[in-house]
Amino acid sequence: MTALTWALRLLIFAFLVVFAAQNTDLVSLHLLPGSVWQGPLVIALLVFFVGGVILGALSLLGVIFRQRREISRLKRAAARSPGSSKQEIPAIE
């Protein structure tokens, strides 16, 4: 199974290298009025992909911190009443 995983990774890597080698044409990006950035297409795609990953991860931070607070609150509530085995867990809003 490990060999199959590495073979798949190698195949994907080879595909990405060929894709990058074939897309080296210059593109012009008009980001702000009056400013133009010129660079290889593959670099522009990589920059915007990484930017999307970062924005997606940042959008999840609020949910993660809210869940951590809720878990710690539930752990404190469970520690205060260790004798009750049929304790109701409050619904998460």
Side-chain angles (χ1 to χ4, degrees):
M1 189 64 173
T2 305
L4 181 63
T5 303
W6 278 105
L8 184 62
R9 288 178 183 172
L10 183 63
L11 183 67
I12 291 171
F13 179 75
F15 173 76
L16 292 175
V17 167
V18 170
F19 177 78
Q22 295 295 321
N23 290 296
T24 58
D25 297 337
L26 286 180
V27 293
S28 297
L29 298 174
H30 302 276
L31 301 173
L32 297 172
S35 73
V36 177
W37 181 76
Q38 287 188 338
L41 175 62
V42 71
I43 299 297
L45 288 173
L46 179 65
V47 166
F48 282 98
F49 175 76
V50 170
V53 168
I54 290 171
L55 285 176
L58 287 175
S59 70
L60 290 175
L61 283 179
V63 173
I64 291 170
F65 286 129
R66 187 171 35 246
Q67 287 178 348
R68 291 179 119 194
R69 281 194 311 265
E70 182 70 18
I71 289 169
S72 64
R73 185 185 66 78
L74 290 172
K75 282 182 180 179
R76 282 193 308 269
R80 273 183 269 160
S81 60
S84 65
S85 62
K86 293 191 99 181
Q87 180 183 0
E88 269 190 51
I89 297 175
I92 298 174
E93 299 173 18

Coordinates of all heavy atoms in Angstrom, one line a residue:
M1 N 0.8 -1.2 0.0 CA 0.0 0.0 0.0 C 0.9 1.3 0.0 O 0.5 2.2 -0.6 CB -0.9 0.0 1.2 CG -2.0 1.0 1.2 SD -3.1 0.8 -0.1 CE -4.3 1.9 0.2
T2 N 2.0 1.2 0.7 CA 2.9 2.3 0.8 C 3.5 2.6 -0.6 O 3.6 3.8 -1.0 CB 4.0 2.1 1.8 OG1 3.4 1.8 3.1 CG2 4.9 3.3 1.9
A3 N 3.8 1.6 -1.3 CA 4.4 1.7 -2.7 C 3.4 2.3 -3.6 O 3.7 3.2 -4.4 CB 4.9 0.4 -3.2
L4 N 2.1 1.9 -3.5 CA 1.1 2.5 -4.3 C 0.9 4.0 -4.0 O 0.7 4.8 -4.9 CB -0.2 1.8 -4.1 CG -1.4 2.2 -4.9 CD1 -1.2 2.0 -6.4 CD2 -2.7 1.5 -4.5
T5 N 0.9 4.4 -2.7 CA 0.8 5.8 -2.3 C 1.9 6.6 -2.9 O 1.7 7.7 -3.4 CB 0.8 5.9 -0.8 OG1 -0.3 5.1 -0.3 CG2 0.6 7.3 -0.4
W6 N 3.1 6.1 -2.8 CA 4.3 6.8 -3.3 C 4.2 6.9 -4.9 O 4.6 7.9 -5.4 CB 5.6 6.2 -2.8 CG 5.9 6.7 -1.5 CD1 5.8 6.0 -0.3 CD2 6.4 8.0 -1.1 NE1 6.2 6.8 0.8 CE2 6.5 8.0 0.3 CE3 6.7 9.2 -1.8 CZ2 7.0 9.2 1.0 CZ3 7.1 10.3 -1.1 CH2 7.2 10.3 0.3
A7 N 3.8 5.9 -5.5 CA 3.6 5.9 -7.0 C 2.6 7.0 -7.4 O 2.8 7.7 -8.4 CB 3.2 4.5 -7.5
L8 N 1.5 7.0 -6.6 CA 0.5 8.1 -6.9 C 1.0 9.5 -6.7 O 0.8 10.4 -7.5 CB -0.7 7.8 -6.1 CG -1.9 8.7 -6.4 CD1 -2.4 8.5 -7.8 CD2 -3.0 8.4 -5.4
R9 N 1.8 9.6 -5.6 CA 2.4 10.9 -5.4 C 3.4 11.3 -6.5 O 3.4 12.5 -6.9 CB 3.1 10.9 -4.0 CG 2.2 10.9 -2.8 CD 3.0 10.8 -1.6 NE 2.1 10.8 -0.4 CZ 2.5 10.5 0.8 NH1 3.7 10.4 1.1 NH2 1.6 10.5 1.8
L10 N 4.2 10.4 -6.9 CA 5.2 10.6 -8.0 C 4.4 11.0 -9.3 O 4.9 11.9 -10.0 CB 6.0 9.4 -8.2 CG 7.2 9.5 -9.2 CD1 8.1 10.6 -8.8 CD2 7.9 8.2 -9.4
L11 N 3.3 10.3 -9.6 CA 2.6 10.6 -10.8 C 2.0 12.0 -10.7 O 2.1 12.8 -11.7 CB 1.5 9.6 -10.9 CG 0.6 9.7 -12.2 CD1 1.4 9.4 -13.4 CD2 -0.6 8.8 -12.1
I12 N 1.4 12.4 -9.6 CA 0.9 13.7 -9.4 C 2.0 14.8 -9.5 O 1.8 15.8 -10.2 CB 0.1 13.9 -8.1 CG1 -1.1 13.0 -8.1 CG2 -0.2 15.3 -7.8 CD1 -1.9 12.9 -6.8
F13 N 3.1 14.5 -8.9 CA 4.3 15.5 -9.0 C 4.7 15.6 -10.4 O 5.0 16.7 -10.9 CB 5.4 15.0 -8.1 CG 6.6 15.9 -8.1 CD1 6.6 17.1 -7.4 CD2 7.7 15.5 -8.8 CE1 7.7 17.9 -7.5 CE2 8.8 16.3 -8.8 CZ 8.8 17.5 -8.2
A14 N 4.9 14.5 -11.1 CA 5.3 14.6 -12.5 C 4.3 15.4 -13.4 O 4.7 16.2 -14.2 CB 5.5 13.2 -13.1
F15 N 3.0 15.2 -13.1 CA 2.0 15.9 -13.8 C 2.1 17.4 -13.6 O 2.0 18.2 -14.5 CB 0.6 15.4 -13.5 CG -0.5 16.3 -14.0 CD1 -0.9 16.2 -15.4 CD2 -1.2 17.2 -13.2 CE1 -1.9 17.0 -15.9 CE2 -2.2 18.0 -13.8 CZ -2.5 17.9 -15.1
L16 N 2.4 17.8 -12.3 CA 2.5 19.2 -12.0 C 3.7 19.8 -12.5 O 3.7 21.0 -13.0 CB 2.4 19.4 -10.4 CG 1.1 19.1 -9.8 CD1 1.2 19.2 -8.3 CD2 0.0 20.0 -10.3
V17 N 4.8 19.1 -12.6 CA 6.1 19.6 -13.2 C 5.9 19.8 -14.7 O 6.3 20.9 -15.2 CB 7.2 18.6 -13.0 CG1 8.4 19.0 -13.8 CG2 7.6 18.7 -11.5
V18 N 5.2 18.9 -15.4 CA 4.9 19.1 -16.8 C 4.0 20.3 -17.0 O 4.2 21.1 -17.9 CB 4.4 17.8 -17.4 CG1 3.8 18.0 -18.8 CG2 5.4 16.7 -17.4
F19 N 3.0 20.4 -16.2 CA 2.0 21.5 -16.3 C 2.8 22.8 -16.1 O 2.5 23.8 -16.8 CB 1.0 21.4 -15.2 CG 0.0 22.5 -15.1 CD1 -1.1 22.6 -16.0 CD2 0.1 23.5 -14.2 CE1 -2.0 23.6 -16.0 CE2 -0.8 24.5 -14.1 CZ -1.8 24.6 -15.0
A20 N 3.7 22.9 -15.1 CA 4.4 24.1 -14.9 C 5.3 24.4 -16.1 O 5.5 25.6 -16.5 CB 5.2 24.0 -13.6
A21 N 6.0 23.4 -16.6 CA 6.9 23.6 -17.7 C 6.2 24.1 -19.0 O 6.7 24.9 -19.8 CB 7.7 22.4 -18.0
Q22 N 4.9 23.7 -19.2 CA 4.1 24.0 -20.4 C 3.5 25.4 -20.2 O 3.0 26.0 -21.2 CB 3.1 23.0 -20.6 CG 3.6 21.6 -21.0 CD 4.4 21.7 -22.3 OE1 4.0 22.3 -23.3 NE2 5.5 21.0 -22.4
N23 N 3.3 25.9 -19.0 CA 2.6 27.2 -18.8 C 3.5 28.3 -18.3 O 3.3 28.9 -17.2 CB 1.5 27.0 -17.8 CG 0.4 26.1 -18.5 OD1 -0.2 26.5 -19.4 ND2 0.2 24.9 -17.9
T24 N 4.6 28.6 -19.1 CA 5.5 29.6 -18.7 C 5.3 30.9 -19.4 O 6.1 31.8 -19.3 CB 6.9 29.1 -18.9 OG1 7.1 28.8 -20.3 CG2 7.3 28.0 -18.0
D25 N 4.2 31.0 -20.2 CA 3.9 32.3 -20.9 C 3.7 33.4 -19.9 O 3.1 33.2 -18.8 CB 2.6 32.1 -21.7 CG 2.8 31.0 -22.8 OD1 4.0 30.8 -23.2 OD2 1.8 30.5 -23.3
L26 N 4.0 34.6 -20.3 CA 3.8 35.7 -19.4 C 2.3 36.2 -19.5 O 1.7 36.2 -20.5 CB 4.7 36.9 -19.9 CG 6.2 36.8 -19.6 CD1 6.9 38.1 -20.1 CD2 6.4 36.7 -18.1
V27 N 1.8 36.5 -18.3 CA 0.5 37.0 -18.2 C 0.6 38.4 -17.5 O 1.5 38.6 -16.7 CB -0.5 36.1 -17.4 CG1 -0.7 34.8 -18.2 CG2 0.1 35.8 -16.0
S28 N -0.4 39.2 -17.8 CA -0.5 40.6 -17.2 C -1.7 40.6 -16.3 O -2.8 40.3 -16.7 CB -0.6 41.6 -18.3 OG 0.5 41.7 -19.1
L29 N -1.4 40.9 -15.0 CA -2.5 41.0 -14.0 C -2.6 42.5 -13.7 O -1.7 43.1 -13.3 CB -2.2 40.2 -12.8 CG -2.1 38.7 -13.0 CD1 -1.6 38.0 -11.7 CD2 -3.4 38.1 -13.4
H30 N -3.9 43.0 -13.8 CA -4.2 44.4 -13.5 C -4.8 44.3 -12.1 O -6.0 44.2 -12.0 CB -5.1 45.0 -14.5 CG -4.5 45.0 -15.9 ND1 -3.7 46.0 -16.3 CD2 -4.7 44.1 -16.9 CE1 -3.3 45.7 -17.6 NE2 -3.9 44.5 -17.9
L31 N -4.0 44.4 -11.0 CA -4.5 44.3 -9.7 C -5.1 45.6 -9.2 O -6.2 45.6 -8.7 CB -3.3 43.9 -8.8 CG -2.7 42.5 -9.2 CD1 -1.5 42.3 -8.3 CD2 -3.7 41.4 -9.0
L32 N -4.4 46.7 -9.3 CA -5.0 48.0 -8.8 C -5.0 48.9 -10.0 O -4.2 48.7 -11.0 CB -4.1 48.5 -7.7 CG -4.1 47.7 -6.4 CD1 -3.0 48.3 -5.5 CD2 -5.4 47.7 -5.7
P33 N -5.8 49.9 -10.0 CA -5.7 50.9 -11.1 C -4.3 51.5 -11.3 O -3.8 52.0 -10.3 CB -6.7 52.0 -10.7 CG -7.7 51.3 -9.8 CD -6.8 50.3 -9.0
G34 N -3.8 51.3 -12.5 CA -2.5 51.9 -12.7 C -1.3 51.0 -12.5 O -0.2 51.3 -12.8
S35 N -1.6 49.8 -11.9 CA -0.5 48.9 -11.6 C -0.7 47.6 -12.4 O -1.8 47.0 -12.4 CB -0.3 48.6 -10.1 OG -1.4 47.7 -9.7
V36 N 0.3 47.1 -13.0 CA 0.3 45.9 -13.8 C 1.4 45.0 -13.4 O 2.5 45.5 -13.2 CB 0.4 46.2 -15.3 CG1 0.4 44.9 -16.2 CG2 -0.7 47.1 -15.8
W37 N 1.1 43.7 -13.1 CA 2.1 42.8 -12.7 C 2.2 41.7 -13.9 O 1.2 41.2 -14.3 CB 1.8 42.1 -11.4 CG 2.8 41.1 -11.0 CD1 4.0 41.4 -10.4 CD2 2.7 39.7 -11.1 NE1 4.7 40.2 -10.1 CE2 3.9 39.2 -10.5 CE3 1.7 38.8 -11.5 CZ2 4.1 37.8 -10.5 CZ3 2.0 37.5 -11.5 CH2 3.2 37.0 -10.9
Q38 N 3.4 41.5 -14.3 CA 3.7 40.5 -15.4 C 4.5 39.4 -14.8 O 5.5 39.7 -14.2 CB 4.3 41.1 -16.6 CG 3.4 42.0 -17.4 CD 4.1 42.4 -18.7 OE1 5.3 42.4 -18.8 NE2 3.3 42.8 -19.7
G39 N 4.1 38.2 -15.1 CA 4.9 37.0 -14.6 C 4.4 35.8 -15.3 O 3.4 35.8 -16.0
P40 N 5.1 34.7 -15.0 CA 4.6 33.4 -15.6 C 3.3 33.0 -15.1 O 2.9 33.2 -14.0 CB 5.7 32.4 -15.2 CG 6.8 33.2 -14.7 CD 6.3 34.6 -14.3
L41 N 2.5 32.4 -16.0 CA 1.2 31.9 -15.6 C 1.2 31.0 -14.5 O 0.3 31.1 -13.6 CB 0.5 31.2 -16.9 CG -0.9 30.6 -16.6 CD1 -1.9 31.7 -16.2 CD2 -1.3 29.9 -17.9
V42 N 2.1 30.0 -14.4 CA 2.2 29.1 -13.4 C 2.4 29.7 -12.0 O 1.9 29.3 -11.0 CB 3.2 27.9 -13.7 CG1 4.6 28.4 -13.6 CG2 3.0 26.8 -12.8
I43 N 3.2 30.8 -12.0 CA 3.4 31.5 -10.7 C 2.2 32.2 -10.3 O 1.8 32.2 -9.1 CB 4.6 32.5 -10.9 CG1 5.9 31.8 -11.2 CG2 4.8 33.3 -9.6 CD1 6.4 30.8 -10.2
A44 N 1.5 32.8 -11.2 CA 0.2 33.5 -10.9 C -0.8 32.5 -10.3 O -1.5 32.8 -9.3 CB -0.4 34.2 -12.1
L45 N -0.9 31.3 -10.9 CA -1.8 30.3 -10.4 C -1.4 29.9 -9.0 O -2.3 29.7 -8.2 CB -1.9 29.1 -11.4 CG -2.6 29.3 -12.7 CD1 -2.4 28.1 -13.6 CD2 -4.0 29.6 -12.5
L46 N -0.1 29.7 -8.8 CA 0.3 29.2 -7.5 C 0.1 30.3 -6.4 O -0.4 29.9 -5.3 CB 1.8 28.9 -7.6 CG 2.5 28.5 -6.3 CD1 1.9 27.1 -5.8 CD2 4.0 28.4 -6.4
V47 N 0.3 31.5 -6.7 CA 0.1 32.6 -5.8 C -1.4 32.7 -5.4 O -1.7 32.8 -4.2 CB 0.6 34.0 -6.3 CG1 0.1 35.1 -5.5 CG2 2.1 34.0 -6.4
F48 N -2.3 32.6 -6.3 CA -3.7 32.7 -6.0 C -4.2 31.4 -5.4 O -5.1 31.5 -4.5 CB -4.5 33.1 -7.3 CG -4.4 34.5 -7.6 CD1 -3.5 34.9 -8.6 CD2 -5.2 35.4 -7.0 CE1 -3.4 36.3 -8.9 CE2 -5.1 36.8 -7.3 CZ -4.2 37.2 -8.2
F49 N -3.7 30.3 -5.7 CA -4.1 29.1 -5.0 C -3.7 29.1 -3.5 O -4.5 28.8 -2.6 CB -3.4 27.9 -5.7 CG -3.7 26.6 -4.9 CD1 -4.9 26.0 -5.0 CD2 -2.7 26.0 -4.2 CE1 -5.2 24.8 -4.3 CE2 -2.9 24.8 -3.5 CZ -4.2 24.2 -3.6
V50 N -2.4 29.5 -3.2 CA -1.9 29.6 -1.9 C -2.8 30.7 -1.1 O -3.1 30.5 0.1 CB -0.4 29.9 -1.8 CG1 0.0 30.3 -0.4 CG2 0.3 28.7 -2.3
G51 N -3.1 31.8 -1.8 CA -3.9 32.8 -1.1 C -5.3 32.3 -0.8 O -5.8 32.6 0.3
G52 N -5.9 31.5 -1.6 CA -7.2 30.9 -1.3 C -7.1 29.9 -0.2 O -8.0 29.9 0.7
V53 N -6.0 29.1 -0.1 CA -5.8 28.2 1.0 C -5.7 29.0 2.3 O -6.3 28.6 3.4 CB -4.6 27.3 0.8 CG1 -4.2 26.5 2.0 CG2 -4.9 26.3 -0.4
I54 N -4.9 30.0 2.3 CA -4.8 30.8 3.6 C -6.1 31.5 4.0 O -6.4 31.4 5.2 CB -3.7 31.9 3.3 CG1 -2.3 31.2 3.3 CG2 -3.7 32.9 4.5 CD1 -1.2 32.1 2.8
L55 N -6.8 32.0 3.0 CA -8.1 32.6 3.4 C -9.1 31.6 3.9 O -9.9 31.9 4.8 CB -8.7 33.4 2.2 CG -8.0 34.7 1.8 CD1 -8.7 35.3 0.6 CD2 -8.2 35.7 3.0
G56 N -9.1 30.4 3.3 CA -10.0 29.3 3.8 C -9.6 28.9 5.2 O -10.5 28.7 6.0
A57 N -8.3 28.8 5.5 CA -7.9 28.4 6.8 C -8.3 29.5 7.8 O -8.7 29.2 9.0 CB -6.4 28.1 6.8
L58 N -8.1 30.8 7.5 CA -8.4 31.9 8.4 C -9.9 31.9 8.6 O -10.3 32.3 9.7 CB -7.9 33.2 7.8 CG -6.4 33.4 7.9 CD1 -6.1 34.7 7.2 CD2 -5.9 33.4 9.3
S59 N -10.7 31.6 7.7 CA -12.2 31.6 7.9 C -12.6 30.5 8.9 O -13.7 30.6 9.4 CB -12.9 31.4 6.5 OG -12.8 30.1 6.1
L60 N -11.8 29.5 9.1 CA -12.2 28.4 10.0 C -11.7 28.7 11.4 O -12.2 28.0 12.4 CB -11.6 27.1 9.6 CG -12.2 26.5 8.3 CD1 -11.4 25.3 7.9 CD2 -13.6 26.2 8.5
L61 N -10.9 29.7 11.6 CA -10.4 30.0 13.0 C -11.5 30.3 14.0 O -11.4 29.8 15.1 CB -9.3 31.1 13.0 CG -8.0 30.7 12.4 CD1 -7.1 31.9 12.4 CD2 -7.4 29.6 13.2
G62 N -12.5 31.1 13.6 CA -13.5 31.4 14.5 C -14.3 30.1 15.0 O -14.6 30.0 16.2
V63 N -14.6 29.2 14.1 CA -15.3 28.0 14.4 C -14.4 27.1 15.3 O -14.9 26.6 16.3 CB -15.6 27.2 13.1 CG1 -16.2 25.9 13.4 CG2 -16.6 28.0 12.3
I64 N -13.2 27.0 15.1 CA -12.3 26.2 15.9 C -12.2 26.7 17.3 O -12.3 26.0 18.3 CB -10.9 26.1 15.2 CG1 -10.9 25.3 13.9 CG2 -9.9 25.5 16.2 CD1 -9.7 25.4 13.1
F65 N -12.0 28.0 17.5 CA -11.9 28.6 18.8 C -13.2 28.5 19.6 O -13.3 28.2 20.8 CB -11.4 30.1 18.8 CG -10.0 30.2 18.5 CD1 -9.5 31.0 17.4 CD2 -9.0 29.5 19.1 CE1 -8.2 31.1 17.2 CE2 -7.7 29.6 18.9 CZ -7.3 30.4 17.9
R66 N -14.3 28.7 18.9 CA -15.6 28.5 19.5 C -15.8 27.1 20.0 O -16.3 26.8 21.1 CB -16.8 28.9 18.5 CG -18.1 29.0 19.2 CD -19.2 29.6 18.3 NE -19.0 29.3 16.8 CZ -18.7 30.2 15.9 NH1 -18.6 31.5 16.3 NH2 -18.6 29.9 14.6
Q67 N -15.5 26.1 19.2 CA -15.6 24.7 19.6 C -14.6 24.4 20.8 O -15.0 23.6 21.7 CB -15.2 23.8 18.4 CG -16.3 23.7 17.4 CD -16.0 22.9 16.2 OE1 -14.8 22.4 16.0 NE2 -17.0 22.6 15.4
R68 N -13.4 24.9 20.8 CA -12.5 24.7 21.9 C -13.1 25.3 23.2 O -13.0 24.6 24.3 CB -11.2 25.3 21.6 CG -10.4 24.6 20.5 CD -9.1 25.3 20.3 NE -8.1 24.3 20.6 CZ -6.8 24.6 20.7 NH1 -6.4 25.8 20.7 NH2 -6.0 23.6 20.9
R69 N -13.7 26.5 23.1 CA -14.3 27.0 24.3 C -15.5 26.2 24.8 O -15.6 25.9 26.0 CB -14.8 28.4 24.1 CG -13.8 29.5 24.1 CD -14.4 30.9 24.1 NE -15.4 31.1 23.2 CZ -15.2 31.7 22.0 NH1 -14.0 32.1 21.6 NH2 -16.2 31.9 21.2
E70 N -16.3 25.7 23.9 CA -17.4 24.8 24.2 C -16.9 23.5 24.9 O -17.5 23.0 25.9 CB -18.3 24.5 23.0 CG -19.5 23.7 23.2 CD -20.6 24.4 24.0 OE1 -20.5 25.6 24.1 OE2 -21.4 23.7 24.6
I71 N -15.9 22.9 24.3 CA -15.4 21.6 24.9 C -14.8 21.9 26.3 O -15.1 21.1 27.2 CB -14.3 21.1 23.9 CG1 -14.9 20.5 22.7 CG2 -13.5 20.0 24.6 CD1 -13.9 20.2 21.6
S72 N -14.1 23.0 26.5 CA -13.6 23.2 27.8 C -14.7 23.5 28.8 O -14.6 23.1 30.0 CB -12.5 24.3 27.8 OG -13.2 25.6 27.4
R73 N -15.7 24.2 28.4 CA -16.9 24.4 29.2 C -17.6 23.1 29.6 O -17.9 22.9 30.8 CB -17.9 25.4 28.6 CG -19.0 25.8 29.5 CD -20.1 26.6 28.8 NE -20.8 25.8 27.7 CZ -21.8 25.0 28.0 NH1 -22.1 24.7 29.2 NH2 -22.4 24.4 27.0
L74 N -17.7 22.2 28.7 CA -18.4 20.9 29.0 C -17.5 20.1 29.9 O -18.0 19.3 30.7 CB -18.7 20.2 27.7 CG -19.8 20.8 26.8 CD1 -19.9 20.1 25.5 CD2 -21.1 20.7 27.5
K75 N -16.2 20.1 29.7 CA -15.3 19.4 30.6 C -15.3 19.9 32.0 O -15.3 19.1 32.9 CB -13.8 19.5 30.1 CG -13.6 18.6 28.9 CD -12.1 18.7 28.5 CE -11.8 17.8 27.3 NZ -10.4 17.9 26.9
R76 N -15.4 21.2 32.2 CA -15.5 21.8 33.5 C -16.9 21.4 34.1 O -16.9 21.0 35.3 CB -15.4 23.3 33.5 CG -14.0 23.8 33.3 CD -13.9 25.3 33.6 NE -14.9 26.1 32.8 CZ -14.7 26.6 31.6 NH1 -13.5 26.4 31.1 NH2 -15.6 27.3 31.0
A77 N -17.9 21.4 33.4 CA -19.2 21.0 33.9 C -19.2 19.5 34.3 O -19.8 19.1 35.3 CB -20.3 21.2 32.8
A78 N -18.6 18.7 33.5 CA -18.5 17.2 33.8 C -17.6 17.0 35.1 O -17.9 16.1 35.8 CB -17.9 16.5 32.6
A79 N -16.6 17.8 35.2 CA -15.7 17.6 36.4 C -16.4 18.1 37.7 O -16.1 17.5 38.8 CB -14.4 18.4 36.2
R80 N -17.3 19.0 37.6 CA -18.0 19.5 38.8 C -19.0 18.5 39.3 O -19.3 18.4 40.5 CB -18.8 20.8 38.5 CG -17.9 22.0 38.7 CD -18.6 23.2 38.5 NE -18.4 23.5 37.1 CZ -19.2 24.3 36.3 NH1 -20.2 24.9 36.8 NH2 -18.9 24.5 35.1
S81 N -19.6 17.7 38.5 CA -20.6 16.7 38.9 C -20.2 15.3 38.5 O -20.8 14.7 37.6 CB -22.0 17.1 38.3 OG -21.9 17.1 36.9
P82 N -19.2 14.7 39.1 CA -18.7 13.4 38.7 C -19.7 12.3 39.1 O -19.6 11.2 38.5 CB -17.4 13.2 39.4 CG -17.5 14.1 40.6 CD -18.4 15.2 40.2
G83 N -20.6 12.5 40.1 CA -21.4 11.4 40.5 C -22.6 11.1 39.6 O -23.1 10.0 39.6
S84 N -23.1 12.1 38.9 CA -24.3 11.8 38.1 C -23.9 11.2 36.7 O -23.1 11.7 35.9 CB -25.0 13.1 37.8 OG -24.2 14.0 37.0
S85 N -24.4 10.0 36.5 CA -24.1 9.3 35.3 C -25.0 9.6 34.1 O -24.7 9.4 33.0 CB -24.1 7.7 35.5 OG -25.4 7.4 35.9
K86 N -26.2 10.1 34.5 CA -27.2 10.5 33.4 C -27.3 12.0 33.3 O -28.4 12.5 33.3 CB -28.5 9.9 33.8 CG -28.6 8.4 33.7 CD -30.0 7.9 33.8 CE -30.4 7.6 32.4 NZ -31.7 7.1 32.3
Q87 N -26.2 12.6 33.2 CA -26.1 14.1 33.0 C -26.5 14.5 31.6 O -26.1 13.9 30.7 CB -24.7 14.6 33.3 CG -24.6 16.1 33.2 CD -23.2 16.5 33.5 OE1 -22.3 15.7 33.7 NE2 -23.0 17.8 33.4
E88 N -27.4 15.5 31.5 CA -27.8 16.0 30.2 C -26.7 16.9 29.7 O -26.3 17.8 30.4 CB -29.1 16.7 30.3 CG -30.3 15.8 30.0 CD -31.6 16.6 29.9 OE1 -31.6 17.6 29.1 OE2 -32.5 16.3 30.6
I89 N -26.4 16.8 28.5 CA -25.4 17.7 27.8 C -26.3 18.8 27.2 O -27.1 18.5 26.3 CB -24.5 16.9 26.8 CG1 -23.7 15.9 27.6 CG2 -23.6 17.9 26.1 CD1 -22.9 15.0 26.7
P90 N -26.0 20.0 27.5 CA -26.7 21.1 26.8 C -26.5 21.2 25.3 O -25.4 20.8 24.8 CB -26.2 22.4 27.5 CG -24.9 22.0 28.1 CD -25.0 20.5 28.4
A91 N -27.5 21.6 24.6 CA -27.4 21.6 23.1 C -26.5 22.8 22.7 O -26.4 23.8 23.4 CB -28.8 21.9 22.5
I92 N -25.7 22.6 21.7 CA -24.8 23.6 21.2 C -25.6 24.5 20.3 O -26.3 24.0 19.4 CB -23.6 23.0 20.5 CG1 -22.8 22.1 21.4 CG2 -22.7 24.0 19.8 CD1 -21.7 21.3 20.7
E93 N -25.5 25.8 20.5 CA -26.3 26.7 19.7 C -25.5 27.2 18.5 O -24.4 27.3 18.4 CB -26.6 28.0 20.6 CG -27.4 27.6 21.7 CD -27.6 28.8 22.7 OE1 -27.4 29.9 22.3 OE2 -28.0 28.5 23.8

